[in-house]
Amino acid sequence: MTELKKLPNGFEYIEVNNDSCVAKIALNGAHVFEYKKKLFQDLLWVSEISDFSNDKAIRGGIPICWPSFGSSNPALPQHGFARTSMFELVFVTEIDAKTTQLLLRLVHNEKSLKLWNYKFELDLIVTLSDRLVLTLKTTNLDTKELKLTQALHTYFNVSHISDVSIEGLDKKPYFDAITNKTREQSGSISFNQEFDVIFQNVEDAIILKDKNRTIKIENSGSSSLVVWNPWIDKCSKMSAMEPEAYKEFVCLESANAYDDFKIIQKNESHTLQATFTLI
Ligand code: TA6
């Protein structure tokens, strides 16, 4: 079953309930903000004080950072403008009782052209089954090439940040956004302070181990992965985030970031895909 729901403030989202999962996707930002495989807790974390409005990104879920990640394009807002843009719902297909697929689309408009002078089509296909798959396709409709950095900025629900470890990044080079230094990872990752790192040359699956569950993240069209937790001080300064919220989530962001930027020629496309599986 799929329903289009609307809050009193006009915020619209699609609610999907099939034999595999329940999910919610906002039209603003094509923002997946709930994915619950049946009999499991939510894969995604959402702040208890997040906004749900058509002019701000939800704090949590999977914000789409596009057409720039971070402040890599200083002419654009932090993480670009897609996450605060209204997407069109092109189709919802119930492939079978266990699988639903949606296509949400953003095309250049007067507002985007003022921010970023490129004609484009941005499609997000969300496939909802016992796995969650996001397929983000950028098509350059302009006459000039474009430079793209992007990320699916996924906030994963965790039992407690101190229970979490991340595997699959051993020996990967990384840029540490806190120290501005480039290093090589040694072994798995655990958390006891602010962590904000862009890993490069990431080709294989990443494993997020939590106290009671394990999540596998597989990416294609991406060789960079951002790992972030604000810890205590930064958390207290973040918008729409309770002071203790840092304990409840970790961000693993399937990206084209730092050296993994993409140059897309006119009439060509680039697709970033992320697959999340509870194992
Ligand atoms: O992906 C990590 C990061 O760039 C952090 O540095 C922090 O800024 C986070 O994203 C959240 O950014 P936002 O713009 O959503 O507040």
Side-chain angles (χ1 to χ4, degrees):
M1 178 188 70
T2 303
E3 286 183 82
L4 183 59
K5 297 201 168 178
K6 193 170 193 172
L7 298 182
N9 67 353
F11 177 82
E12 290 183 280
Y13 64 95
I14 305 127
E15 185 165 328
V16 173
N17 187 338
N18 61 32
D19 288 357
S20 303
C21 67
V22 175
K24 292 175 182 171
I25 305 95
L27 295 187
N28 181 52
H31 196 136
V32 181
F33 64 95
E34 183 175 307
Y35 171 81
K36 284 183 190 167
K37 184 177 171 184
K38 292 284 167 82
L39 306 178
F40 283 77
Q41 67 170 147
D42 202 333
L43 178 77
L44 305 173
W45 175 84
V46 175
S47 170
E48 290 172 6
I49 54 172
S50 175
D51 294 290
F52 288 88
S53 61
N54 289 335
D55 58 351
K56 289 183 182 170
I58 294 166
R59 175 62 73 191
I62 310 180
I64 295 175
C65 304
W66 188 97
S68 65
F69 175 77
S71 50
S72 55
N73 182 336
L76 293 176
Q78 155 94 345
H79 290 334
F81 56 81
R83 63 175 174 169
T84 52
S85 297
M86 191 57 70
F87 281 64
E88 173 202 359
L89 176 61
V90 177
F91 68 67
V92 179
T93 304
E94 296 183 350
I95 294 170
D96 56 38
K98 294 183 177 180
T99 311
T100 307
Q101 194 170 68
L102 306 95
L103 167 59
L104 296 108
R105 176 169 290 160
L106 178 67
V107 177
H108 60 273
N109 54 47
E110 192 179 335
K111 182 182 168 190
S112 74
L113 288 166
K114 282 182 186 151
L115 275 173
W116 193 59
N117 188 23
Y118 290 88
K119 295 179 179 172
F120 67 84
E121 178 181 85
L122 179 64
D123 280 358
L124 177 73
I125 296 178
V126 184
T127 308
L128 300 158
S129 64
D130 59 356
R131 300 186 304 169
L132 171 62
V133 186
L134 273 72
T135 308
L136 187 66
K137 180 179 180 182
T138 299
T139 301
N140 180 355
L141 301 179
D142 213 289
T143 55
K144 54 189 182 293
E145 68 178 34
L146 69 83
K147 179 178 180 181
L148 175 67
T149 58
Q150 61 182 348
L152 295 170
H153 195 298
T154 309
Y155 287 76
F156 290 95
N157 216 356
V158 297
S159 52
H160 189 291
I161 189 64
S162 301
D163 295 334
V164 166
S165 70
I166 297 169
E167 296 175 2
L169 294 167
D170 185 30
K171 296 187 177 37
K172 298 300 178 187
Y174 65 78
F175 173 73
D176 185 324
I178 298 165
T179 63
N180 287 322
K181 292 193 179 340
T182 301
R183 291 278 189 275
E184 182 178 283
Q185 178 60 30
S186 176
S188 61
I189 295 165
S190 55
F191 300 87
N192 59 13
Q193 61 185 353
E194 183 182 355
F195 196 98
D196 193 348
V197 169
I198 304 173
F199 290 91
Q200 304 284 286
N201 305 348
V202 180
E203 304 297 341
D204 300 324
I206 303 304
I207 302 295
L208 166 53
K209 283 194 169 178
D210 189 8
K211 194 173 177 180
N212 304 316
R213 68 179 185 177
T214 300
I215 298 159
K216 180 168 68 171
I217 298 130
E218 298 165 284
N219 299 323
S220 66
S222 151
S223 61
S224 48
L225 183 92
V226 183
V227 179
W228 176 60
N229 184 278
W231 211 249
I232 301 167
D233 290 348
K234 182 147 190 188
C235 186
S236 66
K237 302 182 182 87
M238 298 294 297
S239 62
M241 212 179 260
E242 298 274 23
E244 301 290 296
Y246 72 95
K247 299 175 182 174
E248 303 165 0
F249 75 87
V250 64
C251 284
L252 300 181
E253 307 162 31
S254 312
N256 293 120
Y258 202 58
D259 288 344
D260 183 28
F261 62 86
K262 296 298 172 188
I263 302 290
I264 307 177
Q265 301 301 325
K266 66 177 184 179
N267 300 323
E268 294 192 354
S269 301
H270 176 73
T271 298
L272 163 63
Q273 184 173 81
T275 301
F276 308 117
T277 310
L278 278 154
I279 52 177

